[in-house]
Amino acid sequence: MKKMKKTTRTDLFTYLGVTVAFVAVFLLQSAGVLSNSLSGQLVPICCFIVMAVSLNLVVGISGELSLGHAGFMSVGAFAGIIAAASFTTTIPNGVIRLIVSILVGACCAGVAGVLIGIPVLRLRGDYLAIVTLAFGQIIKDLINCLLVGHDSAGLHILFNHNGLLTMNDLHMNETGVAIIKGAQGAVGITKLSTFPAGYILVMLTLVIVLNLIRSRTGRAIMAIRDNRIAAESVGLNVTKYRMIAFVTASAMAGAAGALYGLNYGVLVSSRFDFNTSILVLVYVVLGGLGNIWGSIIGATVLYILPEILRGFADYRMLVYAIVLILVMIGTNNPTIKNFIGRLLPKKKEGGAVA
Amino acid sequence: MEFISYLISGVTLGSVYAIIALGYTMVYGIAKMLNFAHGDVIMVGGYVCYIALNSLGLPALVAVLVAMAACTLLGILIEGLAYKPLRQAASLAVLITAIGVSYFLQNAAQLIWGANPKSFSSVVHFELPEKITELGFSSEAIATILLCVIIMVALTLFVAHSKTGKAMRACSEDKGAAQLMGINVNRTISTTFAIGSALAAIAGVLLCSTYPVLQPTTGSMPGIKAFTAAVFGGIGSIPGAFIGGLLLGIIESLSKAYISSSLANTIVFAVLILVLLIKPTGLLGKPIREKV
């Protein structure tokens, strides 16, 4: 162990920690110790861990504030749902169908990431943030106008821009099944997602992101974050590396979306609105920017926190808000930080970037 | 004739956006932070005015003043408790805190006033000559547009000529240098928040007079739209916020009428993206210069 690089060791511990947590939770669940509401949240937690880790790649590693990450999740979710529904007869095996759907979701979100990245990455700072926010809203509205059905002849897709069309306008034959009904969202989804599938997706995301960060490409991305002009002057292609980070993160958000979408019977696109993007951003910032470990813990703890606060009934979101503000002030105010630092026993200074 | 009435409703909506956007833009200009809680201050303004009108039975003008006073106080309080400790922190930390404040205000409003929508009765009462109403003007529309223009002009004059206004501009240029010149930076920032919040109260009352549904989430969508408007016009610029707000309202109203009501938001945001691609700092924003 001693000869390993410090980063390699951290990465191995990350994989190990996630695996141990998965095995423990899986055993608890099989033993029936977990409450129903908690076991129902295992898949969403995995999805949001993937979301947080991928957003961390954009915000923490690449240094661009994105406020529309849920938009990519939405693209992935609905693409995955359409794929799962259309392959029902071709691929009867649920596990393979789930894998194919997640791949389709990731690809569609990746393509969306390229399309959005080209204009967005020309901007900087807060302007970039507002444009990603705008894209998140646009994606939500566009999906709200989609009518999709599937029958023996294949997929039928209509864009219901004026709100006058109905499912009958798809002209499906008698084998037709409605998949997305405009603003009512996707209906009749077969639940394919499982907790082990969620675990595998989390592990895959970690392998991709951690290897990307440690690679030459990752170092280039971080160099651009730290000083764009200096990075450019040593010959790094700024747009290319920013694109790599952005598109990778979008594709992973799409995969998470597909897994999330196939976990419910009904799904509306407003589930992936601005608030969801913000929620994921909160996980990332509270977990620590650029710290992959932090994103995993941040997503898990903050996803479960409202559940734990259920005892406060109506006050739970209020308490959540206060906790959020206090944590931000406690971790960022120099006076309070020094005060807490003096109370705690002296620690070795650790690097901020995992 | 139809076109004119759509245009008027667009200008009315745009004026409300412009008033909210002025608050965003002033706070951004001076504190360099995206105050996501601004939209929720609008909602609080609406509720305070509603209570003052319906439960306390105050006359309309007094109710509006009460709402303004309450929001000003709230703005100063939020700034002092949540944002001031983070003056030196990274902008993302402040952003998340602002989101926390936004959650807090929405949920507090839900606890105090309930989640059910309240129907807000308009505070604007005056008779208009028939010729004007025929065009599609309502008294709310006239009041909103007039107030917006007055506020815009007053703010521009205030920032350009008053001592506090000059202090604000100095702080937004360079906080350190402003402090060395004897300007109380903290107090200037608090004043900016106070003005922005008072404007938010006015915007809330006007918004609820035109669209009479009041609930804890009333402020969030107009908040996001106004933020878009501020960026559209060039964030940090007062005339920019005004123009951005008006344009956004007109585009939204016309696309609702002629293209598609469900895609109105999409069109608004698409125009924003186009504008930013052509002018990356908005219509009237100053170009960012980078020093090596």
Side-chain angles (χ1 to χ4, degrees):
Chain A
M1 287 295 268
K2 262 191 184 163
K3 270 189 182 169
M4 257 188 267
K5 268 201 268 175
K6 195 180 159 229
T7 48
T8 322
R9 218 163 53 212
T10 335
D11 291 0
L12 281 181
F13 274 125
T14 311
Y15 298 138
L16 196 71
V18 172
T19 310
V20 168
F22 164 72
V23 172
V25 173
F26 192 71
L27 288 178
L28 282 177
Q29 194 194 14
S30 325
V33 184
L34 289 190
S35 70
N36 256 341
S37 70
L38 202 60
S39 354
Q41 299 206 317
L42 293 176
V43 175
I45 288 175
C46 291
C47 297
F48 278 100
I49 290 177
V50 175
M51 285 295 286
V53 171
S54 59
L55 185 64
N56 203 343
L57 183 61
V58 178
V59 182
I61 307 295
S62 177
E64 331 272 8
L65 176 57
S66 165
L67 297 177
H69 208 51
F72 298 112
M73 194 185 188
S74 179
V75 170
F78 287 95
I81 288 167
I82 293 173
S86 8
F87 292 136
T88 319
T89 42
T90 358
I91 312 170
N93 185 319
V95 178
I96 300 176
R97 195 140 47 96
L98 177 66
I99 295 171
V100 171
S101 308
I102 289 178
L103 282 178
V104 170
C107 289
C108 289
V111 171
V114 174
L115 292 179
I116 292 173
I118 293 168
V120 162
L121 294 179
R122 294 180 38 167
L123 303 165
R124 288 196 196 107
D126 296 325
Y127 290 95
L128 187 140
I130 184 80
V131 170
T132 51
L133 187 162
F135 270 117
Q137 296 283 343
I138 290 177
I139 289 175
K140 189 189 90 183
D141 283 356
L142 290 184
I143 289 176
N144 257 339
C145 291
L146 271 186
L147 296 176
V148 181
H150 181 260
D151 64 6
S152 49
L155 268 184
H156 295 256
I157 301 176
L158 267 186
F159 191 70
N160 184 15
H161 75 281
N162 48 13
L164 299 174
L165 302 174
T166 61
M167 289 314 279
N168 296 331
D169 294 310
L170 288 174
H171 301 298
M172 288 189 289
N173 57 29
E174 62 280 1
T175 54
V177 194
I179 305 176
I180 300 177
K181 284 186 177 176
Q184 291 170 35
V187 288
I189 308 163
T190 328
K191 196 181 158 189
L192 293 174
S193 303
T194 51
F195 182 42
Y199 160 72
I200 294 168
L201 189 63
V202 170
M203 283 304 275
L204 259 177
T205 312
L206 286 176
V207 170
I208 294 173
V209 172
L210 289 174
N211 278 301
L212 178 65
I213 297 174
R214 309 287 182 236
S215 72
R216 191 186 166 83
T217 315
R219 288 192 298 274
I221 293 172
M222 286 188 273
I224 292 167
R225 169 195 68 187
D226 293 337
N227 192 329
R228 195 180 55 82
I229 296 171
E232 214 165 12
S233 72
V234 294
L236 291 177
N237 183 341
V238 172
T239 317
K240 178 183 138 195
Y241 286 111
R242 287 168 99 195
M243 261 317 242
I244 290 176
F246 194 74
V247 174
T248 313
S250 323
M252 285 185 304
L259 184 76
Y260 187 84
L262 292 170
N263 189 40
Y264 296 95
V266 187
L267 192 72
V268 289
S269 71
S270 57
R271 183 75 69 90
F272 308 105
D273 61 358
F274 172 62
N275 289 328
T276 315
S277 301
I278 291 294
L279 211 63
V280 180
L281 184 66
V282 170
Y283 300 157
V284 173
V285 176
L286 277 191
L289 278 181
N291 189 328
I292 302 298
W293 244 122
S295 293
I296 300 173
I297 294 172
T300 317
V301 171
L302 287 174
Y303 195 87
I304 303 176
L305 188 65
E307 284 302 308
I308 296 172
L309 292 176
R310 214 150 258 246
F312 290 96
D314 291 342
Y315 294 92
R316 73 189 169 118
M317 284 315 285
L318 205 63
V319 176
Y320 181 87
I322 295 170
V323 169
L324 191 61
I325 298 171
L326 288 181
V327 170
M328 283 328 284
I329 293 178
T331 48
N332 286 288
N333 184 292
T335 328
I336 300 176
K337 223 157 105 182
N338 284 342
F339 180 70
I340 295 174
R342 248 180 279 148
L343 289 183
L344 296 176
K346 273 206 171 162
K347 252 191 324 191
K348 223 175 73 186
E349 282 287 306
V353 177
Chain B
M1 267 344 218
E2 231 181 16
F3 176 76
I4 292 182
S5 81
Y6 289 133
L7 194 65
I8 290 168
S9 79
V11 173
T12 315
L13 185 64
S15 305
V16 177
Y17 288 157
I19 300 175
I20 308 171
L22 284 174
Y24 261 117
T25 227
M26 284 179 65
V27 168
Y28 183 87
I30 196 161
K32 294 283 174 292
M33 67 165 288
L34 302 177
N35 183 12
F36 268 110
H38 196 69
D40 301 290
V41 178
I42 300 170
M43 173 269 301
V44 173
Y47 269 111
V48 171
C49 183
Y50 176 85
I51 297 294
L53 275 175
N54 296 24
S55 310
L56 306 176
L58 296 173
L61 193 64
V62 182
V64 176
L65 289 177
V66 169
M68 281 174 70
C71 282
T72 310
L73 208 67
L74 184 70
I76 296 174
L77 214 67
I78 292 173
E79 200 273 329
L81 289 180
Y83 302 152
K84 202 185 237 167
L86 295 172
R87 208 47 52 82
Q88 257 80 45
S91 65
L92 209 54
V94 191
L95 181 79
I96 301 289
T97 314
I99 291 162
V101 173
S102 161
Y103 282 169
F104 178 84
L105 289 180
Q106 278 183 24
N107 288 290
Q110 188 168 338
L111 281 178
I112 300 171
W113 293 299
N116 291 335
K118 302 219 184 314
S119 70
F120 193 94
S121 50
S122 174
V123 294
V124 188
H125 308 281
F126 54 82
E127 291 291 315
L128 286 173
E130 211 163 278
K131 274 201 176 149
I132 294 181
T133 41
E134 262 173 13
L135 280 174
F137 276 108
S138 61
S139 49
E140 284 87 3
I142 300 266
T144 309
I145 297 166
L146 276 182
L147 257 175
C148 174
V149 173
I150 294 170
I151 290 172
M152 216 288 286
V153 172
L155 259 188
T156 316
L157 291 178
F158 176 76
V159 171
H161 298 295
S162 76
K163 206 166 181 183
T164 323
K166 282 179 190 161
M168 282 175 179
R169 280 188 292 148
C171 287
S172 84
E173 283 285 321
D174 188 330
K175 283 198 191 64
Q179 197 140 28
L180 288 176
M181 295 298 125
I183 294 171
N184 188 337
V185 174
N186 273 332
R187 193 191 294 157
T188 313
I189 294 181
S190 292
T191 318
T192 314
F193 267 89
I195 297 174
S197 306
L199 291 182
I202 300 177
V205 173
L206 290 173
L207 185 75
C208 294
S209 296
T210 322
Y211 303 92
V213 186
L214 185 57
Q215 58 193 45
T217 51
T218 293
S220 40
M221 203 54 201
I224 293 178
K225 291 269 186 62
F227 173 39
T228 315
V231 176
F232 195 81
I235 197 155
S237 145
I238 290 179
F242 179 72
I243 293 173
L246 282 186
L247 279 179
L248 208 71
I250 294 169
I251 295 171
E252 186 179 336
S253 167
L254 291 185
S255 43
K256 243 183 206 153
Y258 292 108
I259 304 175
S260 154
S261 60
S262 47
L263 288 181
N265 286 347
T266 303
I267 294 166
V268 166
F269 288 123
V271 171
L272 167 84
I273 292 167
L274 278 180
V275 167
L276 285 186
L277 285 184
I278 299 162
K279 281 209 71 172
T281 50
L283 291 175
L284 300 182
K286 287 181 207 144
I288 312 166
R289 273 200 213 99
E290 274 181 282
K291 286 182 197 149
V292 181

